[in-house]
């Protein structure tokens, strides 16, 4: 059915109020000028500087908002104000269209959804904008939505409340979105509207017939997405609104609750999957998959760090272990150990220990800070010799001499470079900077363990402590249950020891209260971490 007079032609341009601060006078004076796009608002000048100008600008914006609300709020019959600017507010490179007008480029945001009243402030706090715009442009501009307009009543020439066909593109299940690139703007008039792609507004008609206002429905936002007021089924819309509120409430908590956070992520995954089914939006399915992974990771964090019972069975009275590494971080830690075993430039245990600790410092960018105190803590009297061996092997680059590195203090560390870990080389590790820092801190705690230091443990014994800590079960036992312990030859290879010499180093760890029990019979290293070092155990 064609659109009659008094329907789409009656739409007006969305209102825009722009308040801005600009420098005034000489730069040394520090004065600013406050200007408003409304002709009735005179410019103001503030010699006191930007702080006074910002305060006055916020008051001016609030004054306009009060007048808008007193006048009935945003108008449902208005065009999106962003359309009058050819969507240039959120389109970085508009292309030139017919007759010199700009048009949307492929993939850019388009107008659609109900009209809302929004306010936008730039990061520099020198521009504020109030606008009547569509929900899609509001989201693209990162605007704050203050109110939603009542939908305009639409009638045919006969005056009956009948379906009205409009040039639009349907977004989702029956939700019509008016696109600025396809529909006429208020400036050009309705005569240029294309006659193809008709779409109706069944939900808007139902609301008008029932006398229900859009303003009466709750609106919400979740994961930077505005929840459509007319999303159906209604129970899904309410669930999304509640979820958004629940996530914001969780962010205000003073203490984390991983169980609650995992439940929120699971609810989000289910809700976004249903939202994708209702609208056909593929990006929602992607977000649902991400929420599922977030829920799984959060549950693992809770099990590994805050709720893993000591022992083989999980009793109600069993103590819990607050672990330094999550299960996934332990996987990354073992990957670093394997890498060091295969890429150490020399076979000595002292060199391998230094390579491990320096690799953890430089794992992300190929460079890392180190001090002389770090090196002597790892290697005692061998530090200077080992550092020179790494430089001679071209495995490590120093900005100065070895002596300068050894003399460096914590307040002035030296940035060393591991060429094989630079970003232009193949990346051996996939973890992020937070995981790198956590694994490096874990290794530092193991190598610097107080009781191991008191026993004057060798570099090989410290490597063995790292290897046993990285390969434990929840109860602290070494190796996987099906393997019956750790393979003795693999442990010996990592520690740069013959298999026959592992036993004496194991006994040193028992004496240092690192292992509660241990034996090396049948080519297996069996044992259990003591209770004091269980938090350092990296779960298999």
């Amino acid at each position: 059915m064609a659109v009659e007079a008094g329907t789409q032609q009656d739409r007006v341009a969305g209102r825009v109020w722009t308040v801005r601060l600009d420098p005034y006078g000489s730069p040394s004076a520090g004065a600013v000028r406050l200007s408003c796009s409304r002709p009735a608002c005179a410019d103001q000048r503030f010699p006191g500087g930007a702080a006074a100008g910002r305060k006055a600008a916020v008051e001016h914006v609030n004054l306009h908002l009060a007048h808008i609300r007193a006048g009935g709020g945003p108008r449902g019959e208005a065009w999106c104000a962003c359309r009058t600017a050819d969507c240039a507010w959120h389109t970085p490179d508009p292309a030139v269209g017919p007759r010199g007008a700009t048009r949307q480029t492929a993939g850019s945001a388009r107008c659609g959804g109900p009209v809302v009243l929004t306010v936008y402030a730039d990061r520099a706090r020198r521009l504020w904008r109030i606008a009547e715009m569509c929900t899609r442009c509001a989201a693209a501009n990162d605007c704050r939505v203050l109110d939603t307009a009542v939908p305009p009543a639409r009638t045919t020439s006969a005056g009956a409340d009948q379906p009205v066909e409009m040039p639009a593109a349907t977004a989702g299940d029956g939700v019509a979105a008016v696109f600025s690139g396809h529909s006429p703007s208020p400036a050009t008039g309705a005569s240029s509207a294309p006659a193809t792609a008709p779409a109706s507004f069944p939900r808007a008609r139902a609301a008008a017939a029932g006398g229900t206002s859009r303003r009466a429905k709750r609106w919400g936002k979740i994961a930077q997405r505005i929840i459509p007021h007319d999303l159906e089924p209604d129970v899904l819309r309410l669930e999304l609104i509640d979820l958004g509120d629940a996530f914001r409430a969780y962010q205000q908590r003073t203490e984390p609750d991983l169980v609650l956070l995992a439940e929120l992520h699971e609810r989000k995954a289910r809700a976004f999957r249903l939202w994708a089914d209702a609208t056909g939006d593929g990006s929602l399915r992607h977000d649902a998959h991400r929420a599922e992974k977030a829920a799984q990771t959060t549950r693992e964090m809770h099990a590994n760090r805050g709720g893993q019972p000591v022992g083989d069975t999980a009793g109600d009275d069993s103590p819990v272990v607050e672990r330094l590494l999550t299960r996934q971080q332990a996987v990354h830690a073992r990957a670093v150990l394997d890498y060091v075993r295969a890429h150490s430039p020399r076979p000595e245990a002292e060199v391998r220990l230094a390579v491990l600790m320096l690799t953890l410092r430089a794992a992300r960018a190929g460079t890392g800070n180190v001090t002389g105190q770090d090196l002597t803590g790892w290697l005692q009297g061998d530090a200077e010799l080992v550092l020179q061996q790494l430089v001679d092997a071209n495995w490590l680059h120093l900005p100065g001499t070895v002596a300068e590195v050894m003399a460096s203090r914590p307040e002035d560390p030296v940035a060393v470079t591991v060429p094989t870990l630079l970003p232009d080389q193949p990346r051996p590790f996939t973890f992020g900077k937070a995981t790198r820092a956590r694994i490096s801190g874990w290794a530092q705690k193991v190598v610097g363990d107080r009781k191991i230091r008191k026993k004057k443990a060798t570099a090989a014994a410290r490597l063995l402590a790292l290897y046993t800590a990285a390969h434990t079960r929840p109860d602290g036992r070494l190796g996987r249950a099906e393997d019956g312990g750790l393979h003795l030859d693999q442990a010996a290879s990592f520690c740069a020891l013959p298999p026959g010499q592992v036993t004496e180093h194991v006994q040193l760890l028992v004496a240092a209260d690192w292992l509660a029990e241990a034996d090396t019979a049948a080519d297996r290293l069996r044992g259990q971490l003591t209770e004091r070092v269980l938090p350092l155990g990296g779960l298999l």
Side-chain angles (χ1 to χ4, degrees), residues 377-436:
W378 302 336
L379 301 168
Q380 289 80 44
D382 299 324
E384 189 167 356
L385 174 62
V386 169
L387 193 62
Q388 186 63 58
Q389 288 175 335
L390 293 177
V391 173
D392 293 342
N394 203 33
W395 186 87
L396 185 69
H397 292 174
L398 304 181
T401 65
V402 171
E404 290 173 345
V405 176
M406 296 303 302
S408 61
R409 305 293 298 170
E411 59 271 16
D412 188 23
V414 175
V416 299
T417 301
V418 180
T420 55
L421 297 178
L422 288 172
D424 59 349
Q425 300 295 320
R427 305 299 294 167
F429 310 120
T430 58
F431 47 77
K433 60 181 180 180
T435 297
R436 185 216 62 81

Side-chain angles (χ1 to χ4, degrees), residues 71-140:
R75 304 166 300 173
E77 69 275 9
W79 291 103
C80 173
C82 184
R83 179 179 303 171
T84 65
D86 292 303
C87 297
W89 291 344
H90 56 81
T91 303
D93 296 310
V96 178
R99 303 176 184 176
T102 59
R103 60 178 173 84
Q104 293 271 322
T105 57
S108 61
R110 291 174 170 178
C111 299
V115 176
V116 292
L117 178 66
T118 65
V119 63
Y120 167 84
D122 71 341
R123 294 184 177 182
R125 298 186 65 192
R126 287 189 173 272
L127 181 142
W128 293 260
R129 184 171 61 231
I130 307 168
E132 292 176 320
M133 61 198 314
C134 68
T135 52
R136 187 175 296 177
C137 287

